Amino acid sequence: MILHQFIDYETLRLIWWLLIGILLIGFAVTDGFDLGIGTLLPFVAKTDMERRIAINTIGPIWEGNQVWLIVGGGAIFAAWPPLYAVSFSGFYLAMFAILAALIVRPVAFKYRSKRDSPAWRTAWDCALFIGGFVPTLIFGVAVGNVLQGVPFRFNSDLRVFYEGTFFGLLNPFALLCGLLSLAMFIMHGSAWLMVKTSGPVAERARYFGSLAAPLTIALFCVAGLYLWAGVAGYLITSTVDPMGPSNPLLKTVVVDSGAWFANYRSAPWLLIAPAFGVLGAAGALLGLQARREIATILSSALSIFGIISTVGVSMFPFILPSSLDPNSSLTVWDASSSHLTLFIMLVVTAIFIPLIVAYTSWVYRVLWGKVDDASINDESGHAY
């Protein structure tokens, strides 16, 4: 028997759906506080030294954190080719804006302290703000559009056609999700600054985090009510073959009000996902108020896990519904690569993901501790 046949096609598809979710959550939890600190930079740091302190809390680790985004994008390309094709072409301008912001960010890290000019440093501080704010907002807007359905279709040859516009992405529900993303990452960035700094920067971070945490809860609940009352979901009405070929047109899909809540009705235990989203943010708020640093960052991470998991659980088995032609919607069962490709990728992932986790954990352990004036002056040749 061929080795890859020990794991059936259905199981591999489900495993890769879970792995993509894990990679996206890993990116949000690690790079999320990087983006949050960039967004907070003009507000938590008033002097040049305070800005350097805030920047150096993430300076040694932001590159490693961004690996999760690269791995996630690569995994989508290899495991779910139609999803990659539709999302990266349909969201082209949005993706371009994200990439432009993420490209500006490392340049700002490297060049900010090359000159003592206040105007020079202020300009790069603005670049760091843009590099945090823009991706955070657009990521949320993208999720909001995915939940509503994306205007694409396949013809009989499985050639994809996208018929949306960039400004069409900026609808009320998507912008609501963008604001939720901002609040969530600001909460997470504040929690990290509480862990890594002391004095005025930590106190300002505590203040803004105490605003962002309840705002995260409020926006998450409002988005859920909006989804219930004003956003129709998608439902497969034909027979589904989890072992079948990757052809999205072999099923029948209808648009149905409340369909995104069907999984919770059939399996109520799944409500643990949105519960984590709310309870994690509430725990972060309490941790900020009590100055419990580790509890705060862990609670904030739990909230991110719960909020992102809620999206995945609500949509399953859909991964990218089509508002233009519901039958063209992509699902876990009809948008994957071949059985052999998924198996080979799983073997590679089983080898390298633990190495990435182990190395990342080691880096965090070595670099643990507060960043302050003295540490920056002592490392003047290496600090940002």
Side-chain angles (χ1 to χ4, degrees), residues 1-268:
M1 181 180 293
I2 300 175
L3 187 60
H4 74 273
Q5 292 179 348
F6 282 105
I7 304 179
D8 63 59
Y9 203 9
E10 176 184 359
T11 302
L12 278 172
R13 283 168 160 168
L14 185 58
I15 288 172
W16 271 103
W17 176 78
L18 291 170
L19 283 175
I20 292 298
I22 290 170
L23 291 172
L24 293 177
I25 292 170
F27 166 71
V29 169
T30 55
D31 210 36
F33 58 71
D34 296 350
L35 298 174
I37 290 172
T39 305
L40 281 168
L41 187 61
F43 309 102
V44 298
K46 302 301 182 182
T47 67
D48 182 67
M49 179 55 72
E50 288 178 354
R51 286 189 285 273
R52 292 190 69 190
I53 288 172
I55 291 169
N56 279 276
T57 63
I58 57 175
I61 56 176
W62 70 266
E63 291 173 291
N65 293 340
Q66 209 157 278
V67 166
W68 293 98
L69 177 63
I70 297 169
V71 173
I76 291 173
F77 171 77
W80 311 99
L83 173 62
Y84 184 91
V86 175
S87 59
F88 279 70
S89 60
F91 295 155
Y92 181 81
L93 290 178
M95 292 289 184
F96 182 84
I98 290 173
L99 290 176
L102 293 179
I103 289 170
V104 166
R105 186 170 66 150
V107 178
F109 276 122
K110 301 299 183 181
Y111 279 85
R112 182 192 183 276
S113 295
K114 296 295 184 182
R115 293 176 60 184
D116 291 331
S117 166
W120 172 270
R121 295 189 174 189
T122 299
W124 289 117
D125 290 339
C126 291
L128 287 171
F129 170 76
I130 292 170
F133 177 85
V134 171
T136 300
L137 179 67
I138 294 180
F139 284 139
V141 168
V143 171
N145 279 281
V146 168
L147 283 165
Q148 295 175 98
V150 177
F152 72 94
R153 62 181 176 84
F154 290 99
N155 66 7
S156 58
D157 297 323
L158 293 184
R159 182 182 175 188
V160 64
F161 295 87
Y162 181 85
E163 300 185 14
T165 64
F166 173 77
F167 292 104
L169 300 176
L170 305 178
N171 54 77
F173 180 72
L175 291 173
L176 174 63
C177 292
L179 292 176
L180 171 58
S181 178
L182 272 174
M184 180 175 71
F185 281 1
I186 288 173
M187 171 185 70
H188 203 44
S190 299
W192 184 250
L193 285 174
M194 280 279 291
V195 171
K196 294 291 290 180
T197 67
S198 57
V201 174
E203 286 304 307
R204 294 189 194 108
R206 177 172 168 266
Y207 170 78
F208 285 107
S210 297
L211 297 178
L215 188 59
T216 298
I217 296 172
L219 290 172
F220 186 42
C221 293
V222 170
L225 292 173
Y226 198 130
L227 202 64
W228 175 271
V231 178
Y234 293 75
L235 185 68
I236 300 174
T237 57
S238 59
T239 302
V240 176
D241 182 7
M243 304 280 285
S246 290
N247 185 341
L249 300 180
L250 297 180
K251 64 181 182 304
T252 302
V253 177
V254 297
V255 179
D256 182 45
S257 179
W260 288 151
F261 295 85
N263 289 335
Y264 300 108
R265 290 191 291 267
S266 60

